[in-house]
Amino acid sequence: MSLTKAQMVTLFTNLVRAEHFGKMMYRRMMQGKLIGFYHPADGAIAPGVAACSFLNQDDPLWPHHRGHGITHMLSKGIDIKYYLAEHTGKSTGCCNGHSGFHYGFPEHHVHLHSGFIGANFMPTVGYAWAAKQRGKGQVVMNCSGDGSYGEGRAHEGMLMAAVWKLPEVFMCENNGYSIFSTFEEMHPTEDIATMAQGLDIPAVVVDGQDVFAVAEVAIAAIDRARKGQGPSFIEAKCLRFKEHDIGNRDLRGYKPREDEEYQEMQKRDPVVLATERVLADKVLSQDEIDGIHEAAANEVADAEQFADDSEIARPTIEEMEAMVFAP
Amino acid sequence: MAIPYVMPKLAMAMNEGTINEWLVQEGDFVAKAQPLASIETEKVAYDVESPEEGYIRFVAQPGDIVPCGELVATFCESEAELAEISAAAPIVGATLANTAATEDALATASAAAVPASAAPAPGVTASSAGGRIIASPLAKKIAADNALDLRTLAGSGPQGRIVKRDVLAALERGVPAAAPFASGAARELARIPMAGMRKTIAGRMTQSLQSTAQLSSGWESDITDLLAARKKFVSREQQLGTRVSVNAFIVKAMVYAIRRVPIANSCQEGDDIVIYDNINMGVAVSLPGVSEYDSGLVVAVLRNVERMGLVDIDREMKALVERVRNGQGTADDLSGATITLSSTAGIAPPGLMSTPVLNLPNAALVGPSTAVEKAVVRDGELVVRTMMPVSFTFDHRMLDGEPAARFMNALHEALENPELMLA
Amino acid sequence: MRELTYINAIREAIQQEMRADETVFMVGQDIRGGVYPHTKDLVDEFGEDRIVDTPLAETGMFGTAYGAALEGFRPIVDFMFGSCAFVNFNETSIMAGQQYFMHGAKHPLPLVMTAAVGMGKRIGNDHAMFIHSTFCRQPGIKVAMASTPYDAKGMFAQAIRDNNPVMIPWHTGVMQKREHVPEEPYYIPLGVADVKREGSDVTVLANSEQLYNALELAEELAGEISVEVIDPRSFVPFDLDTVLKSLAKTNRIVIVDEDWESCGMASTISARIVEHGFDLLDAPIRRVCLPNIPIPGGYMEDYTRPTKEKIEAAIRDVCA
């Protein structure tokens, strides 16, 4: 299937926004203006944009931890300033300053985050089961990296989605690394997709640097699920331009990544590729492209302003104790 | 294999002891017979020697009052075992006394044990005078709420713990609370806690008077001839090596009387009256108190006096009293009396008759006092004789009036006719 | 007077709540067929969509409940055996406990977890181990265990209505106890202890099968020692007030917890009593727990359980 012009514009816009937000997060982390840690998604933003740009508000989403879900959430239409406020410890944050880096947008059906890789496979079963029960055509978008598919949870999640024919899309963003460990060393087959195929889940492998290619298969998978045809698996092979998390060394195995690798990767920068494509296909003019960048820069600046102007969350112990249990 | 070391029972009447001081450090390797600890019983403190060898782990701390037979330390075979046991065992006896309190405790306790040395300042408290009070939290609270001093109580709970019932019982009995004296007109000269030896004496006296059917009788014995005989012994002081005392004669007279009325030399043990063959003479010895105002009292024991001659009795008795006054009384010196002599001669007014208190578990006690020259009738003639008042207390549960009277008479006979006691 | 067994009292609670609220559903392994009586034949009334059997995938099974709870349902997860709740302990304990608080206290997670626990069948550690203390550790999860049929129905129903994760296991040793259970729905609040027998000399805290031991023992000792028996019923929240009120009367307490001694609820209760009721104690607190030994199968199990004899010894110890 081919994408409409409107869809391509949406994808391009979200990609540019994701890039701007990602760079801001990296910069702020280096400036000491973020709480906790940050796992940069530089170079790997295309799959998230593709997966989430065409979801409905009531489609439950588990954002990939890489980039702290910003790519995914902004594509779904969530206002990132609330996430940035959370990540700066402010009471205006999406979790009222309780979490540091968790997502909490229940109105957008983004319910939680977890420090445990592979945690995504647990609640997504329930989201999808609930969606199927409701019968309103909700689809669950479950995004995680290659490392997460080492967990037994991944097997359970896929097995149950398959046996129950749940409306779920497994978006596997395979950037070839889990911290330092390489995919080749940690996985026995060339593609993770074969795991899904082993459970009779329709699976495709796609170039994760090409937002449009990923979007085509994502839209198809979402469609299948919405029609009640069950789960799909998409393996987007993408690239991790930077270290696993800021402050960590960027190793391959236990040796530094080579300069050649960086240089080769840069040639496949997703925004560069997407820009070439929208220009070539005459989807957008350069002016329009510049306008998109400017809007993105403003959006980011507004988010930073909001976060920086907000108060730090300072509840008392008693107030916190009163928030452990729901009334 | 670790060897337990329990609070030794150093005297028949000893129920509990206080660790005044460990004479080794925790973890030291202690050899057999090495001085291990200074332990205070109800009356006296002495240094005990180690019965075992090994690396020592303390279970009881200085100041702890421990019932006899309870664990106070463990001898470990190796340092490894010591470490293991130290890690495994919780600290028994809860809080560790802080160093200052412990030092106070040691200073005061040893002062009480060695009366000859300078007494500590008045106002020293019981807790620093050697002895943590073990009481349940509830008991402490009730006591505090009622201004009741826990130091006045004995505990009936496990390990002698003072528990609620003990406090409630004390309140019901009306044990005077440690309330401050209400009047502003009274100015304190000294404050002496009823602790340590005082507390023991108080307890013993009360127990003796409340748990027996004791009564006292008194008479006068003519010791004119006894004194004349004594004079002869005194003139031979150099030769005999001792200046024979009147008390030595009285002891001899008591031996004579006991041989005639053996039941006077008996003790209550459980439900039995045990009449002893040998005579361990209890001798009441006064001691200095903790201040210049009060005093102490201990019964020293001269053992097997029936075998001793007059001179031996005198010499041994003096040595015994000196030992005891110097705090060097051994366990045997301080326990096992079968009958007791408590003299106030020379201190009390002439002719004093009294009701001395029995030294439990003895059945009898002889209490002579200051003799007086009196006009008495002898063979129809008025003569001047030296008359010594003798008070005799006996326990009517064990001795009836008839044997008591016969004993008194025999004693009287010997006192008036010294040749009888020398026979 | 209608009597129900404990296990059927739970069943009735589930039925009544499921009838009243269509968002309530059950998920577990083999609950349609019903390994235990409380789920048997429920599928006939409620259908396969509300009585859900899953593959042998605890994370997926629990995820079905967890995700559905976040999406507007009120699930009951049945782990079959308590130990199975540890298979995906991150999910059942950490994630469930922190969900509400960590995400801004905005979006509750109403979720009931249940399973069979309990010694007495000589089946060994895997199937017998108690899980309540472990679930008390992670803040955000309520933990309760009912001891009687009457309590079971009321507490289970309350757990289903509670907007928080509630871990409410049940002891196989009490599942056949019978007593009068009202037919109409009723709710017993969580976090409230129950004085099951009044007394004045010593307080005994006991739950599940040990509650029956304590009550029998109290009857035997009547006339000699007056035993007040309290069933805590809930461990989180824990009703310390009822215990302290009892302690003010008796001044002595024995805590019976059929769970390992180390880091069990008995330890936490003891510490809280010392913190808040120190001056009420006339004797040390005694706990009667399992020794820290994996629960043996075979006859060895009998030696490790708290028994009436062990409880009596503890009672006499604190009354000395």
Side-chain angles (χ1 to χ4, degrees):
Chain A
M1 58 142 296
S2 52
L3 301 164
T4 66
K5 186 175 163 188
Q7 284 173 328
M8 288 180 74
V9 171
T10 301
L11 288 163
F12 182 80
T13 306
N14 287 342
L15 198 67
V16 167
R17 291 166 69 213
E19 186 190 57
H20 279 254
F21 269 101
K23 290 193 151 65
M24 175 274 289
M25 293 294 281
Y26 201 104
R27 174 187 32 88
R28 281 188 76 105
M29 191 71 195
M30 302 301 275
Q31 290 169 332
K33 287 160 114 182
L34 276 187
I35 293 182
F37 40 59
Y38 182 65
H39 305 79
D42 297 45
I45 53 176
V49 170
C52 301
S53 292
F54 305 107
L55 293 174
N56 297 334
Q57 181 167 0
D58 67 353
D59 289 331
L61 164 67
W62 180 287
H64 184 21
H65 77 278
R66 185 149 300 290
H68 285 199
I70 290 172
T71 305
H72 304 67
M73 290 194 287
L74 65 77
S75 301
K76 196 178 188 279
I78 293 172
D79 194 339
I80 299 302
K81 75 179 186 218
Y82 297 109
Y83 184 67
L84 184 61
E86 184 66 29
H87 223 301
T88 48
K90 305 301 174 73
S91 58
T92 51
C94 59
C95 297
N96 294 323
H98 287 210
S99 74
F101 69 100
H102 286 228
Y103 336 117
F105 296 98
E107 62 282 9
H108 291 276
H109 298 253
V110 177
H111 293 292
L112 72 147
H113 193 31
S114 167
F116 289 87
I117 298 298
N120 52 302
F121 296 107
M122 185 270 291
T124 46
V125 175
Y127 300 159
W129 182 89
K132 187 165 179 183
Q133 293 303 308
R134 290 254 158 70
K136 292 195 305 181
Q138 290 164 285
V139 173
V140 175
M141 179 57 71
N142 183 0
C143 308
S144 61
D146 44 296
S148 70
Y149 282 88
E151 289 284 338
R153 299 175 176 104
H155 164 73
E156 291 188 33
M158 288 197 290
L159 183 143
M160 289 180 71
V163 79
W164 284 349
K165 251 180 142 172
L166 295 180
E168 186 172 355
V169 178
F170 292 90
M171 174 61 76
C172 171
E173 304 178 34
N174 187 345
N175 63 21
Y177 286 94
S178 312
I179 306 188
F180 312 137
S181 305
T182 62
F183 179 70
E184 293 76 30
E185 197 186 343
M186 297 304 172
H187 197 84
T189 60
E190 195 175 312
D191 300 323
I192 297 173
T194 46
M195 281 172 64
Q197 283 160 351
L199 293 167
D200 270 358
I201 298 174
V204 293
V205 178
V206 67
D207 175 7
Q209 299 307 104
D210 181 348
V211 69
F212 304 112
V214 184
E216 283 183 20
V217 297
I219 289 169
I222 291 167
D223 203 44
R224 279 195 69 242
R226 236 187 261 298
K227 291 190 172 115
Q229 287 163 11
S232 307
F233 183 93
I234 300 171
E235 184 173 350
K237 305 274 200 193
C238 55
L239 297 169
R240 195 184 84 187
F241 283 2
K242 292 209 176 304
E243 64 272 38
H244 163 70
D245 74 305
I246 296 176
N248 225 330
R249 291 177 296 161
D250 196 8
L251 303 179
R252 181 179 175 78
Y254 48 92
K255 302 205 160 75
R257 289 168 85 179
E258 304 279 319
D259 283 340
E260 291 82 57
E261 190 182 344
Y262 290 116
Q263 280 153 25
E264 283 303 305
M265 286 197 297
Q266 287 299 328
K267 291 178 189 164
R268 307 222 67 236
D269 182 305
V271 175
V272 168
L273 294 177
T275 308
E276 281 168 8
R277 174 79 186 274
V278 296
L279 285 171
D281 286 9
K282 297 200 182 359
V283 172
L284 287 166
S285 68
Q286 187 57 55
D287 276 348
E288 283 167 326
I289 291 169
D290 294 342
I292 288 169
H293 276 270
E294 196 182 322
N298 289 337
E299 187 187 349
V300 169
D302 282 349
E304 284 198 86
Q305 187 77 48
F306 176 78
D308 290 339
D309 287 349
S310 295
E311 292 293 314
I312 293 177
R314 291 189 210 277
T316 63
I317 297 281
E318 288 73 30
E319 283 167 338
M320 284 194 269
E321 279 175 345
M323 291 192 272
V324 171
F325 288 113
Chain B
M1 207 32 221
I3 304 171
Y5 177 62
V6 303
M7 176 61 72
K9 193 170 171 66
L10 297 164
M12 204 163 70
M14 179 183 174
N15 292 314
E16 62 193 20
T18 307
I19 309 278
N20 278 337
E21 186 188 10
W22 289 108
L23 300 172
V24 295
Q25 305 282 348
E26 166 100 32
D28 274 3
F29 182 81
V30 179
K32 266 196 194 164
Q34 187 179 341
L36 178 63
S38 165
I39 294 180
E40 184 179 8
T41 68
E42 282 97 326
K43 295 290 181 96
V44 167
Y46 32 82
D47 294 352
V48 294
E49 290 176 349
S50 176
E52 306 289 344
E53 68 174 29
Y55 294 92
I56 190 94
R57 161 159 170 83
F58 301 146
V59 173
Q61 302 300 330
D64 285 354
I65 301 175
V66 183
C68 295
E70 301 251 333
L71 189 68
V72 294
T74 307
F75 290 92
C76 304
E77 232 175 57
S78 64
E79 284 182 287
E81 188 173 31
L82 174 71
E84 202 183 293
I85 286 180
S86 302
I91 295 174
V92 173
T95 57
L96 301 171
N98 65 54
T99 333
T102 314
E103 280 170 2
D104 266 1
L106 295 179
T108 324
S110 43
V114 184
S117 50
V124 91
T125 59
S127 55
S128 61
R132 249 190 85 229
I133 295 164
I134 312 287
S136 79
L138 179 64
K140 285 182 188 171
K141 179 160 196 312
I142 300 175
D145 287 349
N146 287 282
L148 175 64
D149 188 348
L150 282 173
R151 293 172 299 190
T152 63
L153 301 184
S156 66
Q159 284 104 55
R161 186 188 297 139
I162 298 170
V163 289
K164 173 181 166 184
R165 59 177 173 250
D166 303 321
V167 177
L168 292 182
L171 289 172
E172 220 183 279
R173 278 200 309 270
V175 173
F181 198 69
S183 167
R187 259 192 332 277
E188 257 185 41
L189 191 56
R191 179 180 286 265
I192 297 152
M194 302 263 299
M197 186 188 299
R198 196 75 251 146
K199 180 178 172 183
T200 306
I201 294 168
R204 287 260 171 85
M205 293 298 172
T206 313
Q207 191 190 15
S208 178
L209 288 172
Q210 288 179 345
S211 68
T212 61
Q214 63 183 265
L215 58 116
S216 302
S217 305
W219 73 93
E220 289 178 330
S221 291
D222 182 350
I223 59 167
T224 312
D225 290 350
L226 184 154
L227 290 176
R230 186 211 167 212
K231 211 166 162 194
K232 291 199 169 181
F233 280 87
V234 166
S235 70
R236 296 233 179 246
E237 185 182 338
Q238 281 253 350
Q239 242 170 307
L240 298 171
T242 186
R243 188 182 172 83
V244 174
S245 63
V246 174
N247 272 347
F249 281 86
I250 298 176
V251 169
K252 268 307 222 179
M254 287 170 72
V255 172
Y256 173 85
I258 286 167
R259 282 292 175 251
R260 268 133 200 90
V261 187
I263 197 168
N265 187 47
S266 63
C267 293
Q268 183 197 5
E269 281 168 35
D271 288 335
D272 297 330
I273 303 163
V274 183
I275 302 167
Y276 285 95
D277 182 29
N278 58 320
I279 303 170
N280 293 338
M281 182 65 56
V283 178
V285 177
S286 72
L287 300 170
V290 299
S291 74
E292 63 188 280
Y293 303 103
D294 65 317
S295 67
L297 171 66
V298 80
V299 176
V301 182
L302 194 58
R303 292 179 169 252
N304 305 306
V305 297
E306 75 283 358
R307 290 198 218 137
M308 297 185 193
L310 198 63
V311 170
D312 283 338
I313 289 174
D314 187 71
R315 203 175 33 233
E316 296 283 331
M317 192 156 57
K318 284 178 170 140
L320 169 68
V321 171
E322 189 180 318
R323 276 205 299 284
V324 167
R325 286 216 163 108
N326 286 339
Q328 281 154 1
T330 66
D332 281 354
D333 287 341
L334 294 162
S335 66
T338 54
I339 190 166
T340 302
L341 169 67
S342 177
S343 171
T344 53
I347 310 170
L352 178 80
M353 290 292 182
S354 57
T355 58
V357 180
L358 277 181
N359 177 35
L360 290 191
N362 300 166
L365 181 145
V366 174
S369 192
T370 311
V372 58
E373 282 193 307
K374 269 192 174 182
V376 295
V377 177
R378 290 272 183 272
D379 300 321
E381 301 277 318
L382 202 61
V383 288
V384 174
R385 305 290 281 183
T386 308
M387 302 304 284
M388 182 173 75
V390 184
S391 302
F392 175 67
T393 305
F394 66 97
D395 189 341
H396 213 309
R397 299 175 303 154
M398 298 195 266
L399 269 81
D400 293 330
E402 192 260 342
R406 281 193 292 111
F407 175 81
M408 287 191 271
N409 205 46
L411 179 60
H412 170 68
E413 242 191 342
L415 287 171
E416 293 206 331
N417 303 286
E419 63 277 13
L420 287 176
M421 61 172 95
L422 298 171
Chain C
M1 256 245 299
R2 181 200 71 156
E3 285 197 343
L4 274 191
T5 58
Y6 178 105
I7 194 68
N8 283 328
I10 293 180
R11 184 194 162 77
E12 191 162 271
I14 295 170
Q15 269 181 312
Q16 290 179 342
E17 291 307 310
M18 286 185 74
R19 286 174 192 154
D21 181 348
E22 61 179 21
T23 67
V24 178
F25 73 100
M26 263 195 106
V27 60
Q29 292 161 20
D30 307 294
I31 57 171
R32 288 177 186 155
V35 167
Y36 286 110
H38 64 301
T39 64
K40 198 165 177 300
D41 298 336
L42 287 179
V43 66
D44 294 342
E45 182 180 346
F46 299 104
E48 290 180 359
D49 282 343
R50 293 183 72 194
I51 306 291
V52 180
D53 276 348
T54 76
L56 244 164
E58 278 74 22
T59 308
M61 175 183 94
F62 186 70
T64 306
Y66 195 106
L70 289 170
E71 286 284 315
F73 286 84
R74 303 187 76 90
I76 305 166
V77 189
D78 195 322
F79 287 95
M80 197 185 302
F81 294 102
S83 53
C84 299
F86 292 161
V87 170
N88 54 337
F89 191 63
N90 171 36
E91 284 81 5
T92 53
S93 177
I94 300 172
M95 290 181 76
Q98 73 180 23
Q99 175 65 38
Y100 180 68
F101 179 85
M102 287 301 277
H103 299 98
K106 299 192 307 195
H107 196 61
L109 180 73
L111 188 155
V112 176
M113 294 183 271
T114 190
V117 297
M119 296 171 77
K121 309 278 187 291
R122 305 200 182 114
I123 50 182
N125 207 40
D126 301 319
H127 294 90
M129 73 165 72
F130 298 87
I131 63 173
H132 56 286
S133 295
T134 312
F135 276 91
C136 288
R137 296 241 62 231
Q138 193 68 216
I141 301 179
K142 296 191 182 178
V143 182
M145 282 176 82
S147 311
T148 66
Y150 179 86
D151 285 349
K153 176 171 169 178
M155 286 168 65
F156 229 88
Q158 180 65 38
I160 294 169
R161 300 258 45 90
D162 199 303
N163 287 322
N164 294 284
V166 179
M167 166 54 86
I168 179 164
W170 52 273
H171 195 300
T172 49
V174 304
M175 67 191 267
Q176 298 299 341
K177 298 283 184 194
R178 301 178 72 88
E179 69 174 347
H180 168 65
V181 176
E183 279 196 58
E184 72 280 5
Y186 60 93
Y187 303 91
I188 294 178
L190 301 178
V192 178
D194 191 30
V195 178
K196 290 279 199 272
R197 181 189 169 110
E198 292 202 2
S200 55
D201 290 333
V202 58
T203 303
V204 174
L205 213 59
N207 177 263
S208 291
E209 198 165 9
Q210 293 302 326
L211 174 70
Y212 296 91
N213 272 351
L215 288 170
E216 274 174 39
L217 188 58
E219 186 58 36
E220 285 165 22
L221 293 173
E224 189 198 338
I225 302 176
S226 169
V227 180
E228 176 147 297
V229 180
I230 300 182
D231 181 356
R233 298 201 295 194
S234 288
F235 298 100
V236 174
F238 179 73
D239 182 0
L240 186 65
D241 284 343
T242 298
V243 175
L244 291 177
K245 193 154 155 251
S246 174
L247 202 55
K249 198 175 30 160
T250 65
N251 306 128
R252 300 180 190 89
I253 183 159
V254 171
I255 303 174
V256 185
D257 190 15
E258 193 167 340
D259 192 3
W260 293 301
E261 176 274 337
S262 176
C263 297
M265 257 321 267
S267 316
T268 301
I269 296 169
S270 298
R272 289 181 188 162
I273 289 173
V274 171
E275 277 166 4
H276 299 281
F278 183 70
D279 290 324
L280 302 174
L281 290 167
D282 202 29
I285 301 171
R286 275 294 309 269
R287 297 174 297 163
V288 182
C289 303
L290 296 182
N292 297 316
I293 302 171
I295 297 173
Y299 292 101
M300 280 193 220
E301 182 193 66
D302 303 359
Y303 317 150
T304 64
R305 279 190 101 179
T307 55
K308 276 200 297 185
E309 289 71 36
K310 291 179 189 173
I311 301 172
E312 183 176 342
I315 289 174
R316 291 193 183 280
D317 195 37
V318 301
C319 289

